[in-house]
Amino acid sequence: GALATSCAVSSDLVTWKSVEMPSVAQWNCLAVVNGIGVSIAMQSTKCAFIHYSSIVYGETTVSRIISEEVEKTGILTAADIDVSTLIDSVTGYKISAVSAIRSNLDPLQGAWPFDIVQSGYEIKFKRSGGSSIATILSDDLGAGAEGESSVARFTESRDMDTQLPARVSIRYMDVSREYDIGEQYAERLNTDAVNIQSIEMPLVLTANEAAQKAEILLYMYWLERYDVSFKLPPTYAYLEPADVVTVNADSGTYQLRLTSVNYLSNGIIECTAKFNNAAAYSSTATSDTGSLPDGTISLPVPSLYGLLDIPLILDS
């Protein structure tokens, strides 16, 4: 294409307006006219353009996605939820079908683990892996009403190895491969487990991000294999689900994430919890990205007019 300093633009090829072109702009290519991205195409002594100003690339956050989804219920507003801890950046997120809003939040909860709890008149979305907010003394465990027979102070159970995944595989949209489907995995080798957990994430990620999320989920499955339960006196009534506490039990000191908090009629607080480790929610895993597509799109060329020596084709 020849260099041009001015041209005419039209949205309908009927009405034309003179526009000064940048000195480096070429016809038949992408250019910027008055700060607006346009595609210039020659037509005799005039040219036409396509407006691209509505296409803007940028990342968003987990909190913004959740806020927009929740507000679509028509019941809740931004004042009814607390998403202040979900500050992770999201490159892309796809909703491909009409479904319940709760199901649309599941992929986000898997990629950036968080708990959803009712706190007063708010719904809190609390990022997992926080620090301990309270220390529970051994003497406070196994609380019960006066005269009640003794109860277990601290009970702990766990799933068998064979019920847990030895490998977690994530399928995602790879931002470096023109949104083609990629797959990354993390596996545990020193176990008798043979299960494979395959997860479809409608998220745009890099290969490294996907590898890190697979490793985090694998660690979580094994860390949260333990179920813990205990009862507390009313002095711990301020505790809520998703809070992280430090428990000084007879068998040792544990850091736990509360999964449920039930307030019994006699004032006793019945708690269930999972083991918590802040380090399990971060990863530095890397992945070999392999060969990446070039992504180069050549400039358009003039069309060639050619008659085909074939049977007649009807307009329909």
Side-chain angles (χ1 to χ4, degrees):
L3 294 176
T5 58
S6 64
C7 68
V9 297
S10 172
S11 58
D12 55 9
L13 299 181
V14 176
T15 304
W16 297 88
K17 179 181 178 181
S18 179
V19 174
E20 292 297 321
M21 291 287 292
S23 59
V24 296
Q26 295 183 356
W27 291 0
N28 297 328
C29 70
L30 290 178
V32 176
V33 179
N34 295 334
I36 300 175
V38 298
S39 178
I40 307 299
M42 284 191 65
Q43 186 198 37
S44 185
T45 58
K46 303 175 181 178
C47 66
F49 77 93
I50 303 173
H51 195 289
Y52 288 101
S53 63
S54 61
I55 302 176
V56 179
Y57 172 80
E59 292 185 345
T60 184
T61 59
V62 178
S63 59
R64 180 178 177 182
I65 295 175
I66 292 177
S67 297
E68 292 184 0
E69 286 294 302
V70 168
E71 290 180 23
K72 290 179 181 178
T73 62
I75 301 174
L76 301 175
T77 65
D80 299 318
I81 63 175
D82 181 358
V83 291
S84 57
T85 62
L86 305 181
I87 59 176
D88 302 273
S89 297
V90 183
T91 302
Y93 174 55
K94 181 179 73 173
I95 299 177
S96 57
V98 177
S99 59
I101 291 177
R102 182 65 181 86
S103 64
N104 290 335
L105 300 183
D106 286 340
L108 298 173
Q109 195 170 17
W112 297 276
F114 58 85
D115 293 291
I116 305 174
V117 298
Q118 178 184 346
S119 177
Y121 293 99
E122 272 190 335
I123 296 178
K124 285 187 177 181
F125 295 77
K126 302 177 68 172
R127 190 75 157 89
S128 301
S131 58
S132 176
I133 67 167
T135 298
I136 299 173
L137 303 178
S138 176
D139 293 341
D140 291 332
L141 297 174
E146 184 177 355
E148 184 178 335
S149 59
S150 60
V151 296
R153 294 166 57 85
F154 187 85
T155 61
E156 177 186 330
S157 62
R158 74 173 193 174
D159 295 332
M160 296 185 296
D161 288 4
T162 53
Q163 295 178 320
L164 298 169
R167 174 170 170 167
V168 173
S169 177
I170 289 179
R171 289 171 56 84
Y172 64 101
M173 291 176 284
D174 196 328
V175 66
S176 302
R177 302 182 64 86
E178 298 179 351
Y179 302 98
D180 193 11
I181 299 300
E183 183 172 356
Q184 299 294 333
Y185 69 90
E187 59 184 342
R188 188 183 179 103
L189 301 178
N190 59 338
T191 177
D192 295 330
V194 296
N195 297 332
I196 297 177
Q197 182 76 25
S198 183
I199 303 173
E200 298 278 347
M201 284 191 174
L203 298 169
V204 178
L205 304 169
T206 65
N208 286 343
E209 288 174 337
Q212 291 166 8
K213 296 187 185 310
E215 187 175 72
I216 290 172
L217 288 176
L218 179 65
Y219 288 161
M220 284 182 55
Y221 289 140
W222 284 84
L223 177 65
E224 296 184 354
R225 65 189 300 193
Y226 293 89
D227 288 304
V228 178
S229 61
F230 49 89
K231 291 183 179 180
L232 300 174
T235 51
Y236 293 95
Y238 61 90
L239 294 178
E240 296 180 339
D243 285 343
V244 176
V245 297
T246 300
V247 177
N248 294 323
D250 294 336
S251 56
T253 300
Y254 305 93
Q255 190 175 96
L256 305 173
R257 179 174 57 85
L258 301 178
T259 55
S260 70
V261 178
N262 294 321
Y263 304 94
L264 305 182
S265 58
N266 57 4
I268 300 302
I269 304 169
E270 190 176 53
C271 301
T272 60
K274 296 281 190 181
F275 280 8
N276 182 78
N277 187 342
Y281 294 95
S282 61
S283 171
T284 57
T286 58
S287 174
D288 182 10
T289 57
S291 60
L292 300 177
D294 182 13
T296 301
I297 301 177
S298 60
L299 295 177
V301 299
S303 300
L304 299 178
Y305 175 67
L307 296 176
L308 301 180
D309 186 12
I310 59 174
L312 177 65
I313 298 179
L314 300 178
D315 291 343
S316 59

